[in-house]
Amino acid sequence: MFTPWHRPLMLATYLFVVILLVSVVGLIVDDRLVNGDPAWLKPAKFALSMIVHDVTLAWLLSLLTRGRRTAWWLGTVVAAMTAGEMVLLVTQAGRGRMSHFNNATPLDATLYTVMGVLIMVLWFATFALAVILMIQRVRERSTTWAIRIGMGIALLGMAVGPLMTGPTPEQATGASDVIGAHTVGLPDGGPGLPVLGWSTVGGDLRVGHFVGIHGLQVMVLLALLLIALGTRHPRLNDDGTRLRLVSVAGAAYAGLMVLAVWQALRGQSVVAPDALTLTAAGALAALTLLGLAWSLRVSSGPSRKGRGCDSSSTCTTSSTRAPVSTRP
């Protein structure tokens, strides 16, 4: 039976689509700059990110079999918090003002404080949703664990945000119009990557933040891709194999996020890694390759020998393949 996707989250998504279109128009017709970037670039990036975030949660909530009422209310809180954040971002873009770290006027400081409260509530609501998703099985085991791992990575990625809010050493010496920064070791607004804006001359906490908060989408897409590939590659038709691959990929992705945050905290640009960072990245890559090789070589039991048998189904003869269960 088809379960509708979470309506408040989808309504928030439609709002973000409108904001994205407005922001694109703003990028074309409004030549104002905010801290060195086009005034409407940040709302455009945030709107696109929020679209992906809220659509993913709306879909996940439609798969729940337990705690659905609680999850519905938590999803509604997420929708309200993300919508409120976007409205404030658009308000500041329209005013030609910084939305984050802005302490220039009482209004700017108040709006930034409100955004901080919205993000804090959003984190706790997402954490509660993660708990509900953790205690039940959603589709195949590999998909279930992809969702669990992805939610954990997303929560860690969101938790990088507070690292940006404290005053820098320069700001702490006296009254400042700006409190906090994305960039470590240098003021915000310097040279950055096109569109993304990540600093090319200093550490930038937005890299790990971005990698983390979209870990859920990466893990879910990986699980669905492995299922699709299973129709062509018998080895991937085994859910146990897919589960191991998802677990290794999740550990590697979490390691990548931690590496990006560690690199940024050392004041090092993402495009200029030093020998220590490269060594750590190389070790992470080597461990990941070993893990993937192990995942594909290890036996999952009697279903490996040509039966196309999924861990959630009953083994049949080689001429009759058991369908992959999609029931929770």
Side-chain angles (χ1 to χ4, degrees), residues 4 14 19 50 81 98 103 113 120 143 163 183 185 187-188 229 237 252 302 318 324:
Y14 302 147
I19 290 175
M50 293 295 189
M81 296 303 101
M98 288 176 55
N103 195 48
T113 300
M120 182 175 64
T143 305
L163 296 177
T183 309
D188 283 344
L229 291 174
N237 193 47
S318 58
V324 176

Side-chain angles (χ1 to χ4, degrees), residues 216-276:
L216 175 60
Q217 289 78 36
V218 171
M219 295 306 301
V220 169
L221 287 175
L222 173 62
L224 297 179
L225 176 62
L226 291 174
I227 292 173
L229 291 174
T231 61
R232 296 186 178 183
H233 303 279
R235 190 185 298 270
L236 296 179
N237 193 47
D238 174 57
D239 193 44
T241 300
R242 296 197 303 269
L243 175 58
R244 289 190 294 274
L245 290 171
V246 161
S247 299
V248 171
Y253 194 89
L256 178 64
M257 181 195 68
V258 171
L259 179 62
V261 174
W262 176 60
Q263 181 183 13
L265 289 174
R266 291 162 54 222
Q268 185 180 125
S269 170
V270 66
V271 299
D274 63 9
L276 182 59

Side-chain angles (χ1 to χ4, degrees), residues 48-189:
L48 185 58
S49 179
M50 293 295 189
I51 288 170
V52 174
H53 178 273
D54 281 17
V55 166
T56 303
L57 283 184
W59 170 67
L60 287 178
L61 294 185
S62 73
L63 304 178
L64 295 178
T65 57
R66 289 185 291 170
R68 296 185 66 175
R69 182 180 294 275
T70 300
W72 188 92
W73 282 108
L74 289 170
T76 302
V77 171
V78 170
M81 296 303 101
T82 52
E85 175 83 359
M86 283 307 309
V87 168
L88 293 179
L89 278 170
V90 170
T91 299
Q92 290 295 73
R95 298 177 63 228
R97 309 286 293 181
M98 288 176 55
S99 56
H100 290 73
F101 318 130
N102 196 339
N103 195 48
T105 68
L107 177 58
D108 291 324
T110 299
L111 293 180
Y112 176 46
T113 300
V114 171
M115 282 192 285
V117 173
L118 294 176
I119 293 300
M120 182 175 64
V121 175
L122 172 63
W123 191 92
F124 281 107
T126 304
F127 176 83
L129 282 174
V131 171
I132 292 175
L133 286 164
M134 291 283 185
I135 62 175
Q136 59 190 292
R137 179 169 168 178
V138 181
R139 298 171 62 99
E140 306 82 7
R141 284 191 307 154
S142 55
T143 305
T144 298
W145 276 100
I147 293 169
R148 292 170 177 173
I149 295 170
M151 287 294 290
I153 294 172
L155 286 168
L156 289 175
M158 293 170 65
V160 175
L163 296 177
M164 309 178 195
T165 60
T168 65
E170 296 76 17
Q171 295 166 356
T173 58
S176 175
D177 289 345
V178 178
I179 302 296
H182 302 122
T183 309
V184 178
L186 294 170
D188 283 344

